Amino acid sequence: MRKSTTRLIGAVGSLALAGTLVGCGSSSSHTDAPLSNAADTSDAKHPEWSKYAFTIGDNGGDGSQELAKLTGVFDKAPYKVKFARFTYGPPLVQAAASGDIDLGSVGDVPPITGAAKEYGFKVVAVNRSLTPDQAVENIIVPKGSKLRTAADLKDKKIAVPQGSSAHGLALNALKSVGLTPKDAKLVFLDPAAGATAFNTGKVDAWAIWNPQSAIAVKNGARILVKGLPPIDQTSSYYVASAASLKDRTRRAALTDVLKRLSREFAWAVKNPDKYAQALSKEQGIPLDDAKASLAAYSNRVTPVDQPDIELEQKLADAFLEAGQITRKVDVKSITDNLLPAGYDSSKLKVTS
């Protein structure tokens, strides 16, 4: 049975509706917006799409909603869109599976933990970092900590958002030095609770992404393990509701949604000051902190390729081996590309 968004909010405490429906001739349209006249597929009209309203999952304030306002990318779309805010990935995947959202971006682990619970969703595209040499998440320790390497995490308390990409970082960091989750004490906390535990000394380390990691480091914390290959991926993944993918017409419209999203982010990469302002507003953080974390949000959107499937499969197998999931996940079976082969949002021509 499909759960209502209201019931989902009460269940996970991680979703907030963000903004009203826009698009389909909305009164919010403004002709001076840089992408208001840019359709990413073709200029052909699709009157059959007018009956659709899509909900986009905004993971942790990624700037998507504010960028949609700035660019006008959905202003003349032949359907309506709205945004729903999540604090991290697992609840977003759950919402995609239940049909409460249609599309959203998450880290590398939530699709694995979601599939292990047999959720009804698919991985439909990849967000590839434009700065793959810069970590988007880290394991950090407080100022003055005596921990110096991943091996020092033995018997220590590590705050981790369960089922998130940071969970994968913690698992792989321990594995890289011959440790398992049983050798450390993983304390499963959502990002807000993790921040409190870290700042009050209740944990020895915190596996977390930017901007939280960058802000903590700015305030004196130290990076113990960087979230970089081979320990961690720098890519994230778009997931979509299986129900939205089954109907051919709705699927085509959802593909257009994803292409417009990728276009607004391509514009943002070329307009970093505006991008930082959008992140600052959505996340409620100082502009300087938003600028410092821009690299973590500067991505290009592409289809899922075989190497992505292999990386995700390796991670899924590691989670099963470590007892973090109880069911084997076949990543290929939950992959369903929405974008055509060769699509790359970094190659789109966007006006500034």
Side-chain angles (χ1 to χ4, degrees), residues 1 16 42 47 50 54 60 72 85 87 93 105 117 150 165 176 178 244 250 278 283 339:
M1 180 182 296
S42 71
S50 63
F54 294 101
R85 180 74 46 77
T87 56
V93 172
S105 178
K117 295 177 181 178
S165 60
S176 72
S244 293
R250 187 176 180 87
Q283 296 176 6
L339 299 171

CSV table of all heavy atoms in Angstrom, one decimal, residues 1 16 42 47 50 54 60 72 85 87 93 105 117 150 165 176 178 244 250 278 283 339:
chain,number,residue,atom,x,y,z
A,1,MET,N,0.8,-1.2,0.0
A,1,MET,CA,0.0,0.0,0.0
A,1,MET,C,0.9,1.2,0.0
A,1,MET,O,1.8,1.3,0.7
A,1,MET,CB,-0.9,0.0,1.2
A,1,MET,CG,-1.8,1.2,1.3
A,1,MET,SD,-2.8,1.2,2.8
A,1,MET,CE,-3.8,-0.2,2.5
A,16,ALA,N,10.8,16.9,4.7
A,16,ALA,CA,10.0,18.1,4.8
A,16,ALA,C,9.6,18.6,3.4
A,16,ALA,O,10.5,18.7,2.5
A,16,ALA,CB,10.7,19.2,5.5
A,42,SER,N,13.5,18.1,-26.5
A,42,SER,CA,13.2,18.8,-27.7
A,42,SER,C,12.2,19.9,-27.4
A,42,SER,O,11.7,20.0,-26.3
A,42,SER,CB,12.7,17.8,-28.7
A,42,SER,OG,11.4,17.4,-28.4
A,47,PRO,N,1.5,17.6,-24.5
A,47,PRO,CA,0.3,17.8,-23.8
A,47,PRO,C,-0.1,16.7,-22.9
A,47,PRO,O,-0.8,16.8,-21.9
A,47,PRO,CB,-0.8,18.1,-24.9
A,47,PRO,CG,-0.2,17.4,-26.1
A,47,PRO,CD,1.2,17.6,-26.0
A,50,SER,N,0.8,16.9,-19.2
A,50,SER,CA,0.2,17.9,-18.3
A,50,SER,C,-0.5,17.3,-17.1
A,50,SER,O,-0.8,18.0,-16.1
A,50,SER,CB,-0.8,18.8,-19.1
A,50,SER,OG,-1.9,18.0,-19.6
A,54,PHE,N,5.4,15.7,-10.4
A,54,PHE,CA,6.5,14.9,-9.9
A,54,PHE,C,7.1,15.6,-8.6
A,54,PHE,O,7.2,16.8,-8.5
A,54,PHE,CB,7.6,14.9,-10.9
A,54,PHE,CG,7.2,14.1,-12.2
A,54,PHE,CD1,6.9,14.8,-13.3
A,54,PHE,CD2,7.2,12.7,-12.2
A,54,PHE,CE1,6.5,14.1,-14.5
A,54,PHE,CE2,6.9,12.0,-13.3
A,54,PHE,CZ,6.5,12.7,-14.5
A,60,GLY,N,19.5,16.6,1.7
A,60,GLY,CA,20.3,17.4,2.6
A,60,GLY,C,20.5,18.9,2.1
A,60,GLY,O,21.4,19.6,2.6
A,72,GLY,N,14.8,29.0,-13.5
A,72,GLY,CA,13.6,28.8,-14.2
A,72,GLY,C,13.5,27.6,-15.1
A,72,GLY,O,12.7,27.5,-16.0
A,85,ARG,N,12.4,17.7,1.1
A,85,ARG,CA,13.7,17.7,1.8
A,85,ARG,C,14.0,16.5,2.6
A,85,ARG,O,13.1,16.2,3.5
A,85,ARG,CB,13.9,19.0,2.6
A,85,ARG,CG,15.2,19.2,3.3
A,85,ARG,CD,16.3,19.5,2.3
A,85,ARG,NE,15.9,20.5,1.4
A,85,ARG,CZ,15.9,21.9,1.7
A,85,ARG,NH1,16.2,22.3,2.9
A,85,ARG,NH2,15.5,22.8,0.8
A,87,THR,N,17.1,14.6,5.2
A,87,THR,CA,18.4,14.9,5.9
A,87,THR,C,19.5,13.9,5.4
A,87,THR,O,20.7,14.3,5.5
A,87,THR,CB,18.2,14.7,7.4
A,87,THR,OG1,17.7,13.4,7.7
A,87,THR,CG2,17.2,15.8,8.0
A,93,VAL,N,15.4,7.0,-0.2
A,93,VAL,CA,15.2,5.7,-1.0
A,93,VAL,C,13.9,5.1,-0.6
A,93,VAL,O,13.1,4.6,-1.4
A,93,VAL,CB,16.3,4.8,-0.8
A,93,VAL,CG1,16.0,3.4,-1.4
A,93,VAL,CG2,17.6,5.3,-1.4
A,105,SER,N,18.5,12.1,-5.5
A,105,SER,CA,19.9,11.7,-5.5
A,105,SER,C,20.4,11.3,-4.1
A,105,SER,O,20.1,12.0,-3.1
A,105,SER,CB,20.8,12.8,-6.0
A,105,SER,OG,22.2,12.5,-6.0
A,117,LYS,N,16.3,-4.6,1.6
A,117,LYS,CA,15.0,-4.6,2.2
A,117,LYS,C,13.9,-4.8,1.2
A,117,LYS,O,12.7,-4.7,1.5
A,117,LYS,CB,14.8,-3.3,3.0
A,117,LYS,CG,15.7,-3.2,4.2
A,117,LYS,CD,15.5,-1.8,4.9
A,117,LYS,CE,16.5,-1.7,6.1
A,117,LYS,NZ,16.3,-0.4,6.8
A,150,ALA,N,43.4,5.0,10.6
A,150,ALA,CA,42.2,4.1,10.7
A,150,ALA,C,42.4,3.0,11.7
A,150,ALA,O,41.4,2.6,12.3
A,150,ALA,CB,41.8,3.6,9.3
A,165,SER,N,26.1,6.7,2.8
A,165,SER,CA,27.4,6.6,2.1
A,165,SER,C,28.5,6.7,3.2
A,165,SER,O,29.5,6.0,3.1
A,165,SER,CB,27.6,7.7,1.1
A,165,SER,OG,27.5,9.0,1.7
A,176,SER,N,40.1,-1.7,5.5
A,176,SER,CA,41.4,-1.4,4.9
A,176,SER,C,42.6,-1.7,5.8
A,176,SER,O,43.7,-1.8,5.4
A,176,SER,CB,41.5,0.0,4.4
A,176,SER,OG,41.5,1.0,5.5
A,178,GLY,N,42.3,-4.2,8.2
A,178,GLY,CA,42.0,-5.5,8.8
A,178,GLY,C,41.0,-5.5,9.9
A,178,GLY,O,41.0,-6.5,10.7
A,244,SER,N,6.9,4.9,-11.2
A,244,SER,CA,7.0,6.0,-12.2
A,244,SER,C,7.7,5.5,-13.4
A,244,SER,O,7.7,6.2,-14.5
A,244,SER,CB,7.7,7.2,-11.6
A,244,SER,OG,7.0,7.8,-10.5
A,250,ARG,N,4.7,8.2,-18.5
A,250,ARG,CA,5.2,8.8,-17.3
A,250,ARG,C,6.7,8.7,-17.3
A,250,ARG,O,7.4,9.7,-16.8
A,250,ARG,CB,4.6,8.2,-16.1
A,250,ARG,CG,4.9,8.9,-14.8
A,250,ARG,CD,4.2,8.3,-13.6
A,250,ARG,NE,4.5,9.0,-12.4
A,250,ARG,CZ,3.9,10.0,-11.9
A,250,ARG,NH1,2.9,10.6,-12.6
A,250,ARG,NH2,4.3,10.6,-10.8
A,278,ALA,N,22.7,29.5,-3.3
A,278,ALA,CA,21.6,28.5,-3.2
A,278,ALA,C,21.8,27.5,-2.1
A,278,ALA,O,20.9,27.2,-1.3
A,278,ALA,CB,21.4,27.8,-4.6
A,283,GLN,N,20.6,25.2,3.1
A,283,GLN,CA,21.1,24.5,4.3
A,283,GLN,C,21.1,25.3,5.5
A,283,GLN,O,21.4,24.8,6.6
A,283,GLN,CB,22.5,24.0,3.9
A,283,GLN,CG,22.6,23.0,2.8
A,283,GLN,CD,24.0,22.6,2.4
A,283,GLN,OE1,25.0,23.0,3.1
A,283,GLN,NE2,24.1,21.8,1.4
A,339,LEU,N,18.7,7.8,-18.9
A,339,LEU,CA,19.4,8.7,-19.8
A,339,LEU,C,20.0,7.9,-21.0
A,339,LEU,O,20.4,6.7,-20.8
A,339,LEU,CB,20.5,9.5,-19.1
A,339,LEU,CG,20.1,10.4,-18.0
A,339,LEU,CD1,21.3,10.9,-17.2
A,339,LEU,CD2,19.2,11.5,-18.6
